[in-house]
Amino acid sequence: MRSLLMINYYSEHFGIISGLVLCHFVWLQVFVSLAAEYETPKNSFNQISLWGGILPSKEHAKFWIHTSNKHRFIDQGSNLRGKEYNLTLHWHVMPKTSKMFADKIVMPSYRLPEEYR
Amino acid sequence: MGDRKEAIAITMGWIGESVDSIKSLQIRQVLTQAVSLGMIVTSALIIWKALMCITGSESPVVVVLSGSMEPGFKRGDILFLHMSKDPIRAGEIVVFNVDGREIPIVHRVIKVHEREDTGEVDVLTKGDNNYGDDRLLYAHGQLWLQRHHIMGRAVGFLPYVGWVTIIMTEKPIIKYILIGALGLLVITSKD
């Protein structure tokens, strides 16, 4: 599978620009999601999906989107100030004739600001 | 007088033989049909139980009943589920039970919080086509799903096949007609 990935992070608007190309696959649908992953004293693993969408066909595989996050980036505690986290892009492929499979790309070392605006 | 008695005896004998023949035939046929029906029902149960064992889930196949996961899944699709010890991650489609509701829900994981020491996990789900997350669907006061609420994750699906189940559920008369027809078919088959 060939994938080309580009993500920029705008702290001003928490916007996301994503480009993703999936080739050489015949699929019925691909679900793409962008998630933040981080660690806190209480929970060793935290994962919050920030944005997700379904690509219904190959023609939609290359896309550009600038949006605010669809799901809120809220932790169970008060651990996000200055927190470093990874952004991961996941895709789940649901082929018509075989088992679903998933993969992901990790982009490490993003950081949230110390102060809220 | 001798001839009359003889004739009567012959007639009675013939009648007796006929009755015995009919009785024997009917009993055998009924038994055969009963065994065949039992075999069919038992086979269905065995297949279902085998599926439960293979997939590790109480509910290996579910029918999509609402449009909450459109455009990916529509009403009438069926999903194949699998349950394993693998960690639950955002983006996966899970089937979960809510306390107080009898129908399982198939939605997508959007948040995961996992403790290292206890292995406990808090999961939040959402239907792709729904506006908000699933907290309104959970039991009153419940904010997160835990692992024991989750019955499996979706690993495959077939479109349209589940419409039979939906139609039979929503129009019971069709269900009874169908069962009656199948029953008649079994009873009248000559094998």
Side-chain angles (χ1 to χ4, degrees), chain B residues 102-168:
Chain B
E102 58 183 37
I103 297 182
I105 297 171
V106 184
H107 278 174
R108 200 181 294 273
V109 176
I110 61 171
K111 293 188 182 181
V112 175
H113 297 290
E114 189 175 281
R115 281 174 186 68
E116 186 169 31
D117 49 348
T118 62
E120 288 176 26
V121 64
D122 285 343
V123 174
L124 181 63
T125 54
K126 175 183 179 292
D128 288 348
N129 201 29
N130 290 348
Y131 179 75
D133 60 41
D134 284 347
R135 287 202 166 110
L136 290 177
L137 296 178
Y138 299 164
H140 186 66
Q142 180 183 345
L143 295 181
W144 302 94
L145 294 178
Q146 278 78 42
R147 187 174 278 275
H148 66 270
H149 294 111
I150 293 175
M151 304 164 56
R153 52 169 65 86
V155 295
F157 86 108
L158 283 176
Y160 309 119
V161 177
W163 270 111
V164 174
T165 300
I166 292 178
I167 289 172
M168 289 202 299

Side-chain angles (χ1 to χ4, degrees), chain A residues 13-76:
Chain A
H13 308 291
F14 212 92
I16 299 168
I17 299 179
S18 306
L20 175 69
V21 178
L22 295 176
C23 300
H24 305 310
F25 268 86
V26 177
W27 73 72
L28 183 65
Q29 61 176 276
V30 177
F31 175 81
V32 181
S33 73
L34 187 76
E37 297 179 0
Y38 58 96
E39 213 174 279
T40 63
K42 180 186 179 188
N43 295 318
S44 59
F45 180 80
N46 302 272
Q47 189 185 44
I48 296 179
S49 174
L50 302 175
W51 175 87
I54 289 181
L55 311 179
S57 66
K58 188 188 295 188
E59 288 71 35
H60 295 80
K62 183 169 188 175
F63 67 96
W64 180 98
I65 186 169
H66 179 199
T67 182
S68 60
N69 45 316
K70 186 185 286 187
H71 309 133
R72 289 172 295 173
F73 197 160
I74 300 175
D75 189 50
Q76 283 182 318

Side-chain angles (χ1 to χ4, degrees), chain B:
Chain B
M1 283 303 286
D3 289 346
R4 173 188 287 265
K5 283 183 181 179
E6 193 169 339
I8 290 173
I10 291 173
T11 303
M12 292 300 294
W14 177 81
I15 292 174
E17 284 176 9
S18 298
V19 170
D20 289 344
S21 182
I22 291 171
K23 281 184 179 178
S24 175
L25 181 64
Q26 282 178 341
I27 291 173
R28 177 173 295 177
Q29 228 171 17
V30 169
L31 284 181
T32 303
Q33 286 161 7
V35 169
S36 295
L37 198 58
M39 290 287 285
I40 291 171
V41 174
T42 308
S43 297
L45 288 178
I46 290 174
I47 290 172
W48 186 253
K49 290 293 181 180
L51 266 180
M52 287 173 72
C53 288
I54 292 170
T55 62
S57 170
E58 313 169 18
S59 196
V61 180
V62 296
V63 177
V64 176
L65 297 177
S66 76
S68 62
M69 289 294 282
E70 289 177 358
F73 303 130
K74 301 174 174 60
R75 259 168 69 86
D77 296 355
I78 63 174
L79 295 178
F80 300 100
L81 309 180
H82 185 265
M83 190 58 188
S84 66
K85 300 292 186 181
D86 295 344
I88 296 162
R89 291 292 176 254
E92 289 175 353
I93 298 167
V94 295
V95 183
F96 58 92
N97 264 328
V98 174
D99 303 333
R101 292 175 186 265
E102 58 183 37
I103 297 182
I105 297 171
V106 184
H107 278 174
R108 200 181 294 273
V109 176
I110 61 171
K111 293 188 182 181
V112 175
H113 297 290
E114 189 175 281
R115 281 174 186 68
E116 186 169 31
D117 49 348
T118 62
E120 288 176 26
V121 64
D122 285 343
V123 174
L124 181 63
T125 54
K126 175 183 179 292
D128 288 348
N129 201 29
N130 290 348
Y131 179 75
D133 60 41
D134 284 347
R135 287 202 166 110
L136 290 177
L137 296 178
Y138 299 164
H140 186 66
Q142 180 183 345
L143 295 181
W144 302 94
L145 294 178
Q146 278 78 42
R147 187 174 278 275
H148 66 270
H149 294 111
I150 293 175
M151 304 164 56
R153 52 169 65 86
V155 295
F157 86 108
L158 283 176
Y160 309 119
V161 177
W163 270 111
V164 174
T165 300
I166 292 178
I167 289 172
M168 289 202 299
T169 303
E170 295 183 354
K171 307 284 191 207
I173 188 65
I174 293 180
K175 170 163 71 173
Y176 296 128
I177 290 175
L178 198 58
I179 293 177
L182 288 176
L184 274 181
L185 193 63
V186 170
I187 289 173
T188 57
S189 78
K190 291 186 176 179
D191 291 323

